[in-house]
Amino acid sequence: MWNTNDYPPPQPRARYSTSVPELNGSNNNSYVAPSPPGTPVPSRGLLDDLHDRSNDIPTMNTPYEKGYYSSVNSPYIPGRPQRDRKRRRVTAICIPLIIIVVIILAVVIPIYFAVIRPHQKSNTTAKAPSSTVAPGSLPPGNNPESPSGAITGGDGSTITLADGSTMTYHNQFGGFWVDDPNDPFNNNAQAQSYTPPLNATWKWGQDRVHGVNLGGWFVLEPFIVPALFQKYLNATPTPIDEWTLSEAMRADTSPGGGIEQLEDHYKTFITEADFAEMAGAGINWVRLPIPFWAIETWPGEPFLANVSWKYILLAFQWARKYGIRVNLDLHTTPGSQNGYNHSGKDGQIDFLNGVMGIANAQRLMGYIRVITEFISQDEYKDVVPVFGILNEPRVGVIGMTQITNFYLQIHDTIRNITGTGEGNGPFISIHDGFQGTAKWAGFLQGSDRIALDTHPYFAFDQQANNEPLSQQPAKACNAWAAGFNQSQLDFGVTLAGEWSNGINDCGLFLLGVGNSQTSYESHGGNCTDWTVWEAWDQETKDGLALNALASMDALNGNWFWWTWKIGNDSVSGSVRSPLWSYQLGFENGWMPTDPRDSVGKCAEAGVTAVQFDGTYSAWQTGGSGAGTIAPTSVSQFDQWPPLTISNLVPSGAPVSLLPTYTSTGPVPTLPPPTFTASASGKTAVISAGNGWKDAQDTGLSPTTIKGCSYPDAWGAISSPVPTAACTGT
């Protein structure tokens, strides 16, 4: 829990607009360029005044002997050479002219060499703009009728979206968007006035994460995108996860069928308008689940490979535009880390478990390396400050020692790429593996920026959860507040990477396709009361909103709601898991209009808990000592591969006999986007990086050993361990 004193006051923002008049008086056009650091120019000041006065300066392009100007505003009059008056008039004209010209030169020349010329040069030489203007320096536009081509705006401004359409930006929190086509890596946008802009440091323990997940966009779940699964309910087998759905789509040769229909989903499920709405709802972070098949697939895997990456890049671009930070979460792994439908394939666990456990871990390490190289580039590190390396591994099956061995290897891999200390690559987010936060106290002390991710839910605890709605706020506070705050003290940065208003397990496909028996109904409840949101009265909506606020308070203001959007059921044409949709609740009155209203809700519910004062040890946030892991942890967990693996056949078989891959394959790098800039009538390509942060990282990727045979990487849990290690031919 936390209080309003934790919020910094809104940061003042100065307007920057450099208008330079034509010095020869030939026209009144002005050049507008972004100001570099430390060069504020008022929107209405000396240069603007001089520009207006330039119309009053005579253009003496007729010889003196043929006439004179009766005043600075009158036309040239031939003849009437009255010498004495003419001297006085010329003197009266020239002295102000000289003063004005001197002032113009004194102001314009430094601006030209400091601002315009470098700006033009950076665009024509195709180098990525630096985007280092002081934090918060670009203000929200105060003109609701923003002209086409505006690069920033606040509440009421008109946004031109990626598809060319326009919308009005609504943001009551003082946030503003920034979209400069000549500077696509501009990080000045600010989601809300109390949220640091992207080019300012996020202060863990002081700044608050008000986030949502973008679940179901790139990693499909039946309850989030039910219509995609309903289309193939008569297929054999019935699709229950993305693996079987992909197989059904590939087998569908009818018009509108085929695996390519997933790209239509990527294009439409989440759009730029969602990011604009999120910022206006007080959301300042998104957790973005992505699959490993955004990078590649191996033979036998039916997923749509490589296609989602270009839409993931769009997510980065839109997040940058609206000042929203990204917690990038690798949600799937070869072989599955938990056997859940959102790991890619429902069923067994073949990651760090069973005969293919080590080989699948090798592949995942390779994908984590590739993603780290991309998001640690200067162009992306401020937009993606957190990288969740593995969603929800079932540590109860895999083993605490084995997962810690893996996490230590990944920590070292990432920090070898990024370097150590604040600002060098992302925070590494690890999930608690359903062990609870207390289990991780003192984990890898001295490591560099590791955050603990926990997912508190009531919906999946198989309990009745039939308490009156009025009791739910206190229930959330009692269940979560003490442990969550204590983890900030015992572990360090702790985030609730997923939670919801799912006070019970009601919702279409929430428990999976074909599994409609809910605990709530088995204890006498009626799920229709919680799935048909159109019938909710105001009392129900108010109760749900209060429950959300209390939950936010219990989670110390550091949370990611699961999930922003739930798709419509194809039968009813409406959402039938409404307790899980932040967007639907925000638009229809059962989600808070301001997440900051959560402050103190647990206390109001009569629940008090240990308080975290916002201060972490320096090493936990990349300060002094970060990257120097305690020798006891290194000696205990530095073994790779782990000495033992669970569920081998026969039990206790030597790990040295397990199938592995060799690091001799090509590296599947992630391509950057392409941006172009126009300046002085010229167009040039802006450097967007090459997808690889560390040029010294030249190792190859895992691949099969020639001459070796491998069990099914996704279904080998009962396959016996070979009697001899395969070294190939």
Side-chain angles (χ1 to χ4, degrees), residues 127-131 184-187 316 320 373-384 672-673 675 686-693:
K127 293 181 179 179
S130 61
S131 302
F185 299 108
N186 188 310
N187 287 337
F316 295 165
R320 190 192 309 271
E373 287 284 7
F374 190 94
I375 64 175
S376 300
Q377 298 176 102
D378 289 343
E379 292 87 353
Y380 292 95
K381 65 180 184 180
D382 292 334
V383 179
V384 190
F675 296 108
I686 296 176
S687 172
N690 62 2
W692 204 255
K693 160 72 174 176

PDB file of all heavy atoms in Angstrom, residues 127-131 184-187 316 320 373-384 672-673 675 686-693:
ATOM      1  N   LYS A 127      21.319   9.351 -40.343  1.00  0.00           N
ATOM      2  CA  LYS A 127      21.642   8.866 -39.010  1.00  0.00           C
ATOM      3  C   LYS A 127      20.413   8.968 -38.120  1.00  0.00           C
ATOM      4  O   LYS A 127      19.590   9.850 -38.281  1.00  0.00           O
ATOM      5  CB  LYS A 127      22.791   9.686 -38.403  1.00  0.00           C
ATOM      6  CG  LYS A 127      24.117   9.489 -39.121  1.00  0.00           C
ATOM      7  CD  LYS A 127      25.204  10.296 -38.449  1.00  0.00           C
ATOM      8  CE  LYS A 127      26.546  10.100 -39.139  1.00  0.00           C
ATOM      9  NZ  LYS A 127      27.614  10.902 -38.522  1.00  0.00           N
ATOM     10  N   ALA A 128      20.302   8.065 -37.175  1.00  0.00           N
ATOM     11  CA  ALA A 128      19.159   8.093 -36.270  1.00  0.00           C
ATOM     12  C   ALA A 128      19.225   9.341 -35.405  1.00  0.00           C
ATOM     13  O   ALA A 128      20.251   9.629 -34.812  1.00  0.00           O
ATOM     14  CB  ALA A 128      19.151   6.850 -35.384  1.00  0.00           C
ATOM     15  N   PRO A 129      18.119  10.121 -35.344  1.00  0.00           N
ATOM     16  CA  PRO A 129      18.111  11.289 -34.467  1.00  0.00           C
ATOM     17  C   PRO A 129      18.347  10.873 -33.022  1.00  0.00           C
ATOM     18  O   PRO A 129      17.982   9.788 -32.597  1.00  0.00           O
ATOM     19  CB  PRO A 129      16.695  11.854 -34.670  1.00  0.00           C
ATOM     20  CG  PRO A 129      16.245  11.317 -35.991  1.00  0.00           C
ATOM     21  CD  PRO A 129      16.898   9.979 -36.115  1.00  0.00           C
ATOM     22  N   SER A 130      18.938  11.783 -32.276  1.00  0.00           N
ATOM     23  CA  SER A 130      19.343  11.431 -30.924  1.00  0.00           C
ATOM     24  C   SER A 130      18.193  11.443 -29.932  1.00  0.00           C
ATOM     25  O   SER A 130      18.219  10.745 -28.935  1.00  0.00           O
ATOM     26  CB  SER A 130      20.416  12.414 -30.437  1.00  0.00           C
ATOM     27  OG  SER A 130      19.902  13.730 -30.422  1.00  0.00           O
ATOM     28  N   SER A 131      17.167  12.262 -30.178  1.00  0.00           N
ATOM     29  CA  SER A 131      15.991  12.312 -29.299  1.00  0.00           C
ATOM     30  C   SER A 131      16.378  12.529 -27.844  1.00  0.00           C
ATOM     31  O   SER A 131      15.939  11.827 -26.952  1.00  0.00           O
ATOM     32  CB  SER A 131      15.172  11.023 -29.429  1.00  0.00           C
ATOM     33  OG  SER A 131      14.780  10.821 -30.746  1.00  0.00           O
ATOM     34  N   PRO A 184      11.815   9.219 -35.566  1.00  0.00           N
ATOM     35  CA  PRO A 184      10.943   8.133 -35.094  1.00  0.00           C
ATOM     36  C   PRO A 184      11.360   7.555 -33.752  1.00  0.00           C
ATOM     37  O   PRO A 184      10.609   6.761 -33.183  1.00  0.00           O
ATOM     38  CB  PRO A 184      11.059   7.084 -36.200  1.00  0.00           C
ATOM     39  CG  PRO A 184      12.386   7.348 -36.831  1.00  0.00           C
ATOM     40  CD  PRO A 184      12.576   8.832 -36.777  1.00  0.00           C
ATOM     41  N   PHE A 185      12.548   7.925 -33.247  1.00  0.00           N
ATOM     42  CA  PHE A 185      12.986   7.430 -31.952  1.00  0.00           C
ATOM     43  C   PHE A 185      12.925   8.526 -30.887  1.00  0.00           C
ATOM     44  O   PHE A 185      13.635   8.487 -29.891  1.00  0.00           O
ATOM     45  CB  PHE A 185      14.391   6.839 -32.058  1.00  0.00           C
ATOM     46  CG  PHE A 185      14.447   5.677 -33.011  1.00  0.00           C
ATOM     47  CD1 PHE A 185      15.066   5.785 -34.241  1.00  0.00           C
ATOM     48  CD2 PHE A 185      13.839   4.475 -32.683  1.00  0.00           C
ATOM     49  CE1 PHE A 185      15.095   4.719 -35.123  1.00  0.00           C
ATOM     50  CE2 PHE A 185      13.866   3.399 -33.553  1.00  0.00           C
ATOM     51  CZ  PHE A 185      14.497   3.512 -34.778  1.00  0.00           C
ATOM     52  N   ASN A 186      12.049   9.482 -31.102  1.00  0.00           N
ATOM     53  CA  ASN A 186      11.835  10.554 -30.145  1.00  0.00           C
ATOM     54  C   ASN A 186      11.152   9.988 -28.903  1.00  0.00           C
ATOM     55  O   ASN A 186      10.076   9.395 -28.983  1.00  0.00           O
ATOM     56  CB  ASN A 186      10.950  11.632 -30.786  1.00  0.00           C
ATOM     57  CG  ASN A 186      10.836  12.874 -29.936  1.00  0.00           C
ATOM     58  OD1 ASN A 186      10.549  12.794 -28.744  1.00  0.00           O
ATOM     59  ND2 ASN A 186      11.035  14.027 -30.542  1.00  0.00           N
ATOM     60  N   ASN A 187      11.766  10.146 -27.751  1.00  0.00           N
ATOM     61  CA  ASN A 187      11.270   9.567 -26.502  1.00  0.00           C
ATOM     62  C   ASN A 187      10.721  10.613 -25.544  1.00  0.00           C
ATOM     63  O   ASN A 187      10.758  10.433 -24.330  1.00  0.00           O
ATOM     64  CB  ASN A 187      12.399   8.788 -25.808  1.00  0.00           C
ATOM     65  CG  ASN A 187      12.718   7.493 -26.517  1.00  0.00           C
ATOM     66  OD1 ASN A 187      11.894   6.945 -27.245  1.00  0.00           O
ATOM     67  ND2 ASN A 187      13.919   6.990 -26.312  1.00  0.00           N
ATOM     68  N   PHE A 316       5.910  -1.452 -30.166  1.00  0.00           N
ATOM     69  CA  PHE A 316       6.968  -0.594 -29.634  1.00  0.00           C
ATOM     70  C   PHE A 316       6.782   0.849 -30.113  1.00  0.00           C
ATOM     71  O   PHE A 316       6.943   1.803 -29.350  1.00  0.00           O
ATOM     72  CB  PHE A 316       8.341  -1.087 -30.083  1.00  0.00           C
ATOM     73  CG  PHE A 316       8.736  -2.436 -29.545  1.00  0.00           C
ATOM     74  CD1 PHE A 316       9.798  -3.141 -30.112  1.00  0.00           C
ATOM     75  CD2 PHE A 316       8.071  -3.021 -28.478  1.00  0.00           C
ATOM     76  CE1 PHE A 316      10.184  -4.379 -29.628  1.00  0.00           C
ATOM     77  CE2 PHE A 316       8.451  -4.259 -27.980  1.00  0.00           C
ATOM     78  CZ  PHE A 316       9.507  -4.940 -28.563  1.00  0.00           C
ATOM     79  N   ARG A 320       5.921   4.083 -27.776  1.00  0.00           N
ATOM     80  CA  ARG A 320       6.788   5.264 -27.777  1.00  0.00           C
ATOM     81  C   ARG A 320       5.972   6.532 -28.030  1.00  0.00           C
ATOM     82  O   ARG A 320       6.175   7.563 -27.386  1.00  0.00           O
ATOM     83  CB  ARG A 320       7.867   5.113 -28.848  1.00  0.00           C
ATOM     84  CG  ARG A 320       8.960   6.157 -28.785  1.00  0.00           C
ATOM     85  CD  ARG A 320       9.831   6.148 -30.034  1.00  0.00           C
ATOM     86  NE  ARG A 320      10.330   4.840 -30.378  1.00  0.00           N
ATOM     87  CZ  ARG A 320      11.470   4.305 -29.923  1.00  0.00           C
ATOM     88  NH1 ARG A 320      12.206   4.998 -29.077  1.00  0.00           N
ATOM     89  NH2 ARG A 320      11.858   3.107 -30.316  1.00  0.00           N
ATOM     90  N   GLU A 373      19.460  -8.813 -27.475  1.00  0.00           N
ATOM     91  CA  GLU A 373      20.279  -8.023 -28.391  1.00  0.00           C
ATOM     92  C   GLU A 373      19.455  -6.921 -29.048  1.00  0.00           C
ATOM     93  O   GLU A 373      19.932  -5.796 -29.223  1.00  0.00           O
ATOM     94  CB  GLU A 373      20.895  -8.929 -29.467  1.00  0.00           C
ATOM     95  CG  GLU A 373      22.018  -9.825 -28.965  1.00  0.00           C
ATOM     96  CD  GLU A 373      23.330  -9.084 -28.750  1.00  0.00           C
ATOM     97  OE1 GLU A 373      23.357  -7.846 -28.862  1.00  0.00           O
ATOM     98  OE2 GLU A 373      24.342  -9.757 -28.466  1.00  0.00           O
ATOM     99  N   PHE A 374      18.217  -7.218 -29.384  1.00  0.00           N
ATOM    100  CA  PHE A 374      17.392  -6.221 -30.066  1.00  0.00           C
ATOM    101  C   PHE A 374      16.935  -5.124 -29.114  1.00  0.00           C
ATOM    102  O   PHE A 374      17.132  -3.933 -29.390  1.00  0.00           O
ATOM    103  CB  PHE A 374      16.174  -6.876 -30.722  1.00  0.00           C
ATOM    104  CG  PHE A 374      15.438  -5.935 -31.634  1.00  0.00           C
ATOM    105  CD1 PHE A 374      15.722  -5.910 -32.987  1.00  0.00           C
ATOM    106  CD2 PHE A 374      14.489  -5.047 -31.139  1.00  0.00           C
ATOM    107  CE1 PHE A 374      15.070  -5.013 -33.829  1.00  0.00           C
ATOM    108  CE2 PHE A 374      13.835  -4.151 -31.960  1.00  0.00           C
ATOM    109  CZ  PHE A 374      14.126  -4.139 -33.319  1.00  0.00           C
ATOM    110  N   ILE A 375      16.325  -5.494 -28.004  1.00  0.00           N
ATOM    111  CA  ILE A 375      15.703  -4.470 -27.150  1.00  0.00           C
ATOM    112  C   ILE A 375      16.722  -3.670 -26.356  1.00  0.00           C
ATOM    113  O   ILE A 375      16.376  -2.621 -25.794  1.00  0.00           O
ATOM    114  CB  ILE A 375      14.668  -5.095 -26.191  1.00  0.00           C
ATOM    115  CG1 ILE A 375      15.334  -6.057 -25.204  1.00  0.00           C
ATOM    116  CG2 ILE A 375      13.557  -5.773 -26.973  1.00  0.00           C
ATOM    117  CD1 ILE A 375      14.381  -6.614 -24.155  1.00  0.00           C
ATOM    118  N   SER A 376      17.985  -4.121 -26.315  1.00  0.00           N
ATOM    119  CA  SER A 376      19.018  -3.374 -25.602  1.00  0.00           C
ATOM    120  C   SER A 376      19.685  -2.326 -26.469  1.00  0.00           C
ATOM    121  O   SER A 376      20.530  -1.567 -25.980  1.00  0.00           O
ATOM    122  CB  SER A 376      20.076  -4.338 -25.050  1.00  0.00           C
ATOM    123  OG  SER A 376      19.500  -5.257 -24.152  1.00  0.00           O
ATOM    124  N   GLN A 377      19.321  -2.258 -27.743  1.00  0.00           N
ATOM    125  CA  GLN A 377      19.850  -1.199 -28.601  1.00  0.00           C
ATOM    126  C   GLN A 377      19.376   0.163 -28.090  1.00  0.00           C
ATOM    127  O   GLN A 377      18.315   0.282 -27.474  1.00  0.00           O
ATOM    128  CB  GLN A 377      19.361  -1.393 -30.041  1.00  0.00           C
ATOM    129  CG  GLN A 377      19.822  -2.680 -30.695  1.00  0.00           C
ATOM    130  CD  GLN A 377      19.216  -2.846 -32.069  1.00  0.00           C
ATOM    131  OE1 GLN A 377      19.857  -2.621 -33.089  1.00  0.00           O
ATOM    132  NE2 GLN A 377      17.956  -3.250 -32.103  1.00  0.00           N
ATOM    133  N   ASP A 378      20.154   1.185 -28.361  1.00  0.00           N
ATOM    134  CA  ASP A 378      19.806   2.522 -27.893  1.00  0.00           C
ATOM    135  C   ASP A 378      18.418   2.939 -28.366  1.00  0.00           C
ATOM    136  O   ASP A 378      17.721   3.681 -27.666  1.00  0.00           O
ATOM    137  CB  ASP A 378      20.837   3.536 -28.385  1.00  0.00           C
ATOM    138  CG  ASP A 378      22.176   3.391 -27.677  1.00  0.00           C
ATOM    139  OD1 ASP A 378      22.215   2.742 -26.609  1.00  0.00           O
ATOM    140  OD2 ASP A 378      23.182   3.910 -28.196  1.00  0.00           O
ATOM    141  N   GLU A 379      18.019   2.467 -29.533  1.00  0.00           N
ATOM    142  CA  GLU A 379      16.730   2.869 -30.091  1.00  0.00           C
ATOM    143  C   GLU A 379      15.550   2.311 -29.294  1.00  0.00           C
ATOM    144  O   GLU A 379      14.432   2.823 -29.395  1.00  0.00           O
ATOM    145  CB  GLU A 379      16.616   2.408 -31.551  1.00  0.00           C
ATOM    146  CG  GLU A 379      17.558   3.108 -32.507  1.00  0.00           C
ATOM    147  CD  GLU A 379      18.934   2.451 -32.590  1.00  0.00           C
ATOM    148  OE1 GLU A 379      19.209   1.520 -31.795  1.00  0.00           O
ATOM    149  OE2 GLU A 379      19.733   2.850 -33.453  1.00  0.00           O
ATOM    150  N   TYR A 380      15.777   1.260 -28.496  1.00  0.00           N
ATOM    151  CA  TYR A 380      14.650   0.581 -27.856  1.00  0.00           C
ATOM    152  C   TYR A 380      14.760   0.461 -26.336  1.00  0.00           C
ATOM    153  O   TYR A 380      13.773   0.140 -25.676  1.00  0.00           O
ATOM    154  CB  TYR A 380      14.472  -0.813 -28.465  1.00  0.00           C
ATOM    155  CG  TYR A 380      14.005  -0.736 -29.893  1.00  0.00           C
ATOM    156  CD1 TYR A 380      14.912  -0.784 -30.952  1.00  0.00           C
ATOM    157  CD2 TYR A 380      12.660  -0.547 -30.193  1.00  0.00           C
ATOM    158  CE1 TYR A 380      14.488  -0.660 -32.258  1.00  0.00           C
ATOM    159  CE2 TYR A 380      12.233  -0.425 -31.497  1.00  0.00           C
ATOM    160  CZ  TYR A 380      13.145  -0.484 -32.531  1.00  0.00           C
ATOM    161  OH  TYR A 380      12.719  -0.350 -33.824  1.00  0.00           O
ATOM    162  N   LYS A 381      15.927   0.710 -25.776  1.00  0.00           N
ATOM    163  CA  LYS A 381      16.107   0.409 -24.356  1.00  0.00           C
ATOM    164  C   LYS A 381      15.234   1.253 -23.444  1.00  0.00           C
ATOM    165  O   LYS A 381      14.879   0.811 -22.343  1.00  0.00           O
ATOM    166  CB  LYS A 381      17.581   0.550 -23.969  1.00  0.00           C
ATOM    167  CG  LYS A 381      18.140   1.958 -24.066  1.00  0.00           C
ATOM    168  CD  LYS A 381      19.612   1.978 -23.664  1.00  0.00           C
ATOM    169  CE  LYS A 381      20.169   3.386 -23.671  1.00  0.00           C
ATOM    170  NZ  LYS A 381      21.603   3.410 -23.287  1.00  0.00           N
ATOM    171  N   ASP A 382      14.850   2.465 -23.854  1.00  0.00           N
ATOM    172  CA  ASP A 382      13.988   3.290 -23.015  1.00  0.00           C
ATOM    173  C   ASP A 382      12.522   2.900 -23.140  1.00  0.00           C
ATOM    174  O   ASP A 382      11.722   3.167 -22.245  1.00  0.00           O
ATOM    175  CB  ASP A 382      14.149   4.772 -23.366  1.00  0.00           C
ATOM    176  CG  ASP A 382      15.515   5.311 -23.000  1.00  0.00           C
ATOM    177  OD1 ASP A 382      16.139   4.746 -22.080  1.00  0.00           O
ATOM    178  OD2 ASP A 382      15.970   6.287 -23.629  1.00  0.00           O
ATOM    179  N   VAL A 383      12.164   2.281 -24.259  1.00  0.00           N
ATOM    180  CA  VAL A 383      10.785   1.860 -24.478  1.00  0.00           C
ATOM    181  C   VAL A 383      10.525   0.497 -23.847  1.00  0.00           C
ATOM    182  O   VAL A 383       9.420   0.212 -23.391  1.00  0.00           O
ATOM    183  CB  VAL A 383      10.463   1.826 -25.990  1.00  0.00           C
ATOM    184  CG1 VAL A 383       9.031   1.364 -26.240  1.00  0.00           C
ATOM    185  CG2 VAL A 383      10.684   3.195 -26.604  1.00  0.00           C
ATOM    186  N   VAL A 384      11.538  -0.358 -23.809  1.00  0.00           N
ATOM    187  CA  VAL A 384      11.391  -1.713 -23.261  1.00  0.00           C
ATOM    188  C   VAL A 384      12.349  -1.865 -22.078  1.00  0.00           C
ATOM    189  O   VAL A 384      13.404  -2.484 -22.190  1.00  0.00           O
ATOM    190  CB  VAL A 384      11.678  -2.784 -24.327  1.00  0.00           C
ATOM    191  CG1 VAL A 384      11.284  -4.170 -23.817  1.00  0.00           C
ATOM    192  CG2 VAL A 384      10.942  -2.477 -25.623  1.00  0.00           C
ATOM    193  N   PRO A 672      15.060  -4.824 -37.896  1.00  0.00           N
ATOM    194  CA  PRO A 672      14.497  -3.559 -37.418  1.00  0.00           C
ATOM    195  C   PRO A 672      13.493  -3.024 -38.426  1.00  0.00           C
ATOM    196  O   PRO A 672      13.442  -3.474 -39.583  1.00  0.00           O
ATOM    197  CB  PRO A 672      15.727  -2.653 -37.320  1.00  0.00           C
ATOM    198  CG  PRO A 672      16.634  -3.171 -38.396  1.00  0.00           C
ATOM    199  CD  PRO A 672      16.421  -4.660 -38.442  1.00  0.00           C
ATOM    200  N   PRO A 673      12.686  -2.046 -38.036  1.00  0.00           N
ATOM    201  CA  PRO A 673      11.771  -1.406 -38.990  1.00  0.00           C
ATOM    202  C   PRO A 673      12.537  -0.474 -39.918  1.00  0.00           C
ATOM    203  O   PRO A 673      13.728  -0.210 -39.714  1.00  0.00           O
ATOM    204  CB  PRO A 673      10.814  -0.633 -38.082  1.00  0.00           C
ATOM    205  CG  PRO A 673      11.659  -0.282 -36.902  1.00  0.00           C
ATOM    206  CD  PRO A 673      12.587  -1.455 -36.695  1.00  0.00           C
ATOM    207  N   PHE A 675      12.486   3.380 -41.484  1.00  0.00           N
ATOM    208  CA  PHE A 675      11.939   4.718 -41.389  1.00  0.00           C
ATOM    209  C   PHE A 675      12.644   5.617 -42.402  1.00  0.00           C
ATOM    210  O   PHE A 675      13.847   5.456 -42.659  1.00  0.00           O
ATOM    211  CB  PHE A 675      12.152   5.309 -39.986  1.00  0.00           C
ATOM    212  CG  PHE A 675      11.435   4.576 -38.892  1.00  0.00           C
ATOM    213  CD1 PHE A 675      12.149   3.795 -37.989  1.00  0.00           C
ATOM    214  CD2 PHE A 675      10.067   4.671 -38.754  1.00  0.00           C
ATOM    215  CE1 PHE A 675      11.497   3.126 -36.966  1.00  0.00           C
ATOM    216  CE2 PHE A 675       9.408   3.997 -37.736  1.00  0.00           C
ATOM    217  CZ  PHE A 675      10.128   3.223 -36.846  1.00  0.00           C
ATOM    218  N   ILE A 686      16.416   6.534 -42.192  1.00  0.00           N
ATOM    219  CA  ILE A 686      16.949   6.755 -40.860  1.00  0.00           C
ATOM    220  C   ILE A 686      17.449   5.436 -40.305  1.00  0.00           C
ATOM    221  O   ILE A 686      16.768   4.418 -40.383  1.00  0.00           O
ATOM    222  CB  ILE A 686      15.870   7.335 -39.931  1.00  0.00           C
ATOM    223  CG1 ILE A 686      15.451   8.721 -40.425  1.00  0.00           C
ATOM    224  CG2 ILE A 686      16.371   7.426 -38.496  1.00  0.00           C
ATOM    225  CD1 ILE A 686      14.320   9.323 -39.626  1.00  0.00           C
ATOM    226  N   SER A 687      18.621   5.450 -39.742  1.00  0.00           N
ATOM    227  CA  SER A 687      19.165   4.238 -39.148  1.00  0.00           C
ATOM    228  C   SER A 687      18.289   3.791 -37.982  1.00  0.00           C
ATOM    229  O   SER A 687      17.956   4.573 -37.099  1.00  0.00           O
ATOM    230  CB  SER A 687      20.594   4.476 -38.653  1.00  0.00           C
ATOM    231  OG  SER A 687      21.058   3.357 -37.921  1.00  0.00           O
ATOM    232  N   ALA A 688      17.889   2.534 -37.997  1.00  0.00           N
ATOM    233  CA  ALA A 688      17.071   1.968 -36.927  1.00  0.00           C
ATOM    234  C   ALA A 688      17.808   0.860 -36.205  1.00  0.00           C
ATOM    235  O   ALA A 688      17.195   0.009 -35.567  1.00  0.00           O
ATOM    236  CB  ALA A 688      15.755   1.447 -37.501  1.00  0.00           C
ATOM    237  N   GLY A 689      19.131   0.875 -36.289  1.00  0.00           N
ATOM    238  CA  GLY A 689      19.913  -0.197 -35.694  1.00  0.00           C
ATOM    239  C   GLY A 689      19.931  -1.407 -36.610  1.00  0.00           C
ATOM    240  O   GLY A 689      19.272  -1.444 -37.646  1.00  0.00           O
ATOM    241  N   ASN A 690      20.689  -2.397 -36.216  1.00  0.00           N
ATOM    242  CA  ASN A 690      20.769  -3.618 -37.033  1.00  0.00           C
ATOM    243  C   ASN A 690      20.208  -4.834 -36.308  1.00  0.00           C
ATOM    244  O   ASN A 690      20.367  -5.961 -36.756  1.00  0.00           O
ATOM    245  CB  ASN A 690      22.217  -3.882 -37.452  1.00  0.00           C
ATOM    246  CG  ASN A 690      23.138  -4.122 -36.255  1.00  0.00           C
ATOM    247  OD1 ASN A 690      22.695  -4.125 -35.105  1.00  0.00           O
ATOM    248  ND2 ASN A 690      24.420  -4.307 -36.528  1.00  0.00           N
ATOM    249  N   GLY A 691      19.542  -4.592 -35.163  1.00  0.00           N
ATOM    250  CA  GLY A 691      18.951  -5.687 -34.421  1.00  0.00           C
ATOM    251  C   GLY A 691      19.896  -6.381 -33.464  1.00  0.00           C
ATOM    252  O   GLY A 691      19.506  -7.353 -32.807  1.00  0.00           O
ATOM    253  N   TRP A 692      21.126  -5.872 -33.331  1.00  0.00           N
ATOM    254  CA  TRP A 692      22.134  -6.577 -32.534  1.00  0.00           C
ATOM    255  C   TRP A 692      22.929  -5.562 -31.735  1.00  0.00           C
ATOM    256  O   TRP A 692      23.705  -4.788 -32.281  1.00  0.00           O
ATOM    257  CB  TRP A 692      23.047  -7.386 -33.445  1.00  0.00           C
ATOM    258  CG  TRP A 692      23.707  -8.550 -32.780  1.00  0.00           C
ATOM    259  CD1 TRP A 692      25.019  -8.645 -32.393  1.00  0.00           C
ATOM    260  CD2 TRP A 692      23.105  -9.801 -32.435  1.00  0.00           C
ATOM    261  NE1 TRP A 692      25.253  -9.878 -31.830  1.00  0.00           N
ATOM    262  CE2 TRP A 692      24.106 -10.619 -31.848  1.00  0.00           C
ATOM    263  CE3 TRP A 692      21.814 -10.313 -32.566  1.00  0.00           C
ATOM    264  CZ2 TRP A 692      23.836 -11.913 -31.392  1.00  0.00           C
ATOM    265  CZ3 TRP A 692      21.553 -11.593 -32.113  1.00  0.00           C
ATOM    266  CH2 TRP A 692      22.552 -12.382 -31.533  1.00  0.00           C
ATOM    267  N   LYS A 693      22.733  -5.560 -30.414  1.00  0.00           N
ATOM    268  CA  LYS A 693      23.380  -4.587 -29.542  1.00  0.00           C
ATOM    269  C   LYS A 693      24.888  -4.779 -29.463  1.00  0.00           C
ATOM    270  O   LYS A 693      25.661  -3.828 -29.589  1.00  0.00           O
ATOM    271  CB  LYS A 693      22.752  -4.702 -28.145  1.00  0.00           C
ATOM    272  CG  LYS A 693      23.576  -4.142 -26.991  1.00  0.00           C
ATOM    273  CD  LYS A 693      23.633  -2.645 -26.984  1.00  0.00           C
ATOM    274  CE  LYS A 693      24.334  -2.145 -25.731  1.00  0.00           C
ATOM    275  NZ  LYS A 693      24.496  -0.683 -25.729  1.00  0.00           N
TER     276      LYS A 693
END
